[in-house]
Amino acid sequence: MASPTRTACPYKGRTSGYWSVRAGDRLHPDLAWSYGFPTAALLPIAGLVAFYNEKVDLVVDGERLARPRTHFS
């Protein structure tokens, strides 16, 4: 579901959207975001959706990766 959160980064630009995810009875706020209009140096990321590695399960070549522990955890 769309979130009202918006952020800005001097390197990447302003986010155009954040999304929260409801799984069962639990809401995971601002789990994903996108830059619709990034800075010129980062135009290739326009429209891509990013996720916090700290908040999702990642599987590479069939192996689940450990979640990093950061201030975003």
Side-chain angles (χ1 to χ4, degrees):
M1 69 184 72
S3 165
T5 302
R6 298 292 180 267
T7 58
C9 170
Y11 179 64
K12 294 178 285 222
R14 292 182 185 211
T15 58
S16 54
Y18 268 82
W19 295 272
S20 299
V21 175
R22 182 173 301 283
D25 294 337
R26 191 164 173 208
L27 178 66
H28 302 274
D30 299 336
L31 190 66
W33 67 93
S34 182
Y35 290 90
F37 303 98
T39 59
L42 291 175
L43 283 176
I45 71 167
L48 299 178
V49 176
F51 296 85
Y52 287 107
N53 289 6
E54 298 86 346
K55 298 182 179 183
V56 297
D57 294 331
L58 297 174
V59 178
V60 177
D61 293 332
E63 297 291 325
R64 183 175 170 188
L65 302 180
R67 289 186 185 179
R69 294 237 179 241
T70 72
H71 64 281
F72 296 111
S73 298

